[in-house]
Amino acid sequence: MIKTVVLSLIVALAFCAQGFLQNNLYSFQKDIPRPGTVSEMPVALSRVISLEYALVVSDIAFVKSLNVFGRILENRRNSSSQIAPMWLWKKILHELEISTFLDGYFLDPYYFSNTIASSHPSVVNEVNTMLVRGAHMRYWDWELPLYIGFNNYFLLNNPQEASRWIMEAAERPGNKSNILGTLAARLAYRGNQTENGIVFLRRMLETAKDPVTIEQYRERLIALEGIWLLEKGVESYKNTFGFKPLRLSQLVEKGIVVEIPVDPYGGVFFLGEDGKVKTTSNFRPINDRRSSVSKSED
């Protein structure tokens, strides 16, 4: 008797879920929905009511998001004055969230959601949450951590978090480029995490095999180690005298450092107006080293 009741409930739930999905899909196919005309399936509930058809429901949710997006583009062509409201973009994101929640390995919804974030920075936190979940599921994939890093740097103005995620992307087995390692180290420096950038580059050097890549990482490491040494020197100077030095040469004059390190890129380290240690090369090779000397100490 109990088994019969349970089976009946499961069948009824399946029919309800099917009706829910069909009604929503048909509503999205007809035209761009209006506020309150299309009910939203709770993300947490989607796995329950999709039963063993989770992958199918994931595909349907993704198709729905593309359908609405296509309608938006079509309306824009027909009426240049029409601007899609934010609630509509959030509906699209909701479908993408369902799609990735039911199938965390499905790559296309992540791509699409990040495209929306680039156009609408107000939803970037929601998109990043989705991408973080995907990055954990797709543990071999370097692209999703890269997207998270991009969003943090350009849309959220958070170079520290951007550096962390790009470091993650650079270390993943699918990454074949040496550019990410250099970029992560640069962002670590800009985010006042010079020491983290040093640790990261040392770790990357342990696994690098290409001679060109090894040489690039070594140059970057030498530059960051020079920055880090001078940052510690400026901090020691301030602790001793109660204020920061005006020039890095004062660190040598007071015996805090033996000499100013050499920038492997041909630039010269100097103390910026904001009190941070910088280099005239900006971590890029320059040909004329002499011209940068006067600039650094003026």
Side-chain angles (χ1 to χ4, degrees):
M1 180 63 180
I2 296 178
K3 291 183 179 180
T4 303
V5 173
V6 172
L7 181 60
S8 300
L9 290 174
I10 293 176
V11 172
L13 184 60
F15 275 111
C16 291
Q18 183 180 13
F20 182 93
L21 294 172
Q22 287 180 342
N23 289 336
N24 275 268
L25 184 58
Y26 292 155
S27 298
F28 272 75
Q29 286 175 337
K30 289 178 181 178
D31 201 352
I32 293 180
R34 295 182 300 275
T37 60
V38 179
S39 55
E40 291 185 347
M41 178 194 305
V43 176
L45 187 60
S46 61
R47 191 181 301 277
V48 177
I49 67 176
S50 61
L51 300 176
E52 70 269 25
Y53 303 106
L55 298 183
V56 176
V57 177
S58 173
D59 291 342
I60 291 175
F62 181 55
V63 170
K64 286 166 62 177
S65 66
L66 293 178
N67 198 347
V68 178
F69 183 68
R71 297 288 183 177
I72 290 175
L73 295 181
E74 183 179 354
N75 280 17
R76 281 182 177 176
R77 283 197 300 267
N78 297 334
S79 175
S80 59
S81 62
Q82 182 166 351
I83 301 177
M86 182 51 61
W87 68 264
L88 189 54
W89 290 107
K90 286 186 176 290
K91 276 189 175 293
I92 295 177
L93 285 178
H94 181 76
E95 296 302 327
L96 294 174
E97 189 175 3
I98 289 178
S99 180
T100 56
F101 182 75
L102 294 176
D103 184 2
Y105 301 103
F106 192 5
L107 188 57
D108 290 347
Y110 297 118
Y111 284 159
F112 188 24
S113 65
N114 201 60
T115 301
I116 295 175
S118 299
S119 304
H120 302 279
S122 61
V123 300
V124 66
N125 286 316
E126 299 174 43
V127 171
N128 267 8
T129 299
M130 195 184 314
L131 293 176
V132 168
R133 185 172 68 241
H136 290 318
M137 292 288 292
R138 299 176 58 85
Y139 57 88
W140 67 92
D141 189 351
W142 61 271
E143 292 183 82
L144 295 187
L146 178 61
Y147 293 155
I148 299 170
F150 176 91
N151 292 341
N152 274 285
Y153 187 77
F154 287 101
L155 303 179
L156 297 176
N157 193 28
N158 189 345
Q160 183 173 340
E161 190 69 6
S163 173
R164 185 175 76 85
W165 279 104
I166 293 179
M167 285 182 183
E168 173 73 19
E171 292 181 321
R172 293 205 168 186
N175 173 45
K176 303 299 181 183
S177 172
N178 64 337
I179 297 176
L180 293 183
T182 301
L183 177 61
R186 183 177 297 169
L187 291 181
Y189 161 65
R190 291 182 178 177
N192 296 324
Q193 287 188 309
T194 309
E195 192 170 1
N196 285 352
I198 291 173
V199 173
F200 168 71
L201 284 176
R202 287 175 178 171
R203 189 162 64 242
M204 294 297 291
L205 274 170
E206 292 175 358
T207 58
K209 296 181 175 59
D210 176 58
V212 176
T213 300
I214 292 174
E215 181 62 24
Q216 289 180 347
Y217 283 168
R218 280 177 177 168
E219 285 187 340
R220 177 72 55 175
L221 178 59
I222 292 172
L224 282 184
E225 286 177 337
I227 292 284
W228 184 73
L229 173 66
L230 294 173
E231 286 177 345
K232 293 299 181 184
V234 170
E235 183 180 347
S236 176
Y237 188 102
K238 181 180 179 181
N239 291 337
T240 302
F241 300 103
F243 52 88
K244 289 184 178 181
L246 298 177
R247 298 180 306 277
L248 292 178
S249 59
Q250 292 177 269
L251 301 180
V252 179
E253 295 170 1
K254 299 299 182 181
I256 295 177
V257 299
V258 176
E259 60 182 0
I260 303 299
V262 176
D263 180 359
Y265 294 100
V268 174
F269 296 118
F270 67 98
L271 202 59
E273 295 180 357
D274 56 1
K276 295 181 180 179
V277 179
K278 301 178 180 179
T279 174
T280 55
S281 70
N282 198 23
F283 294 144
R284 293 183 177 87
I286 59 176
N287 296 324
D288 189 2
R289 182 177 176 181
R290 292 178 179 274
S291 62
S292 63
V293 174
S294 58
K295 177 182 177 181
S296 65
E297 294 293 327
D298 284 344

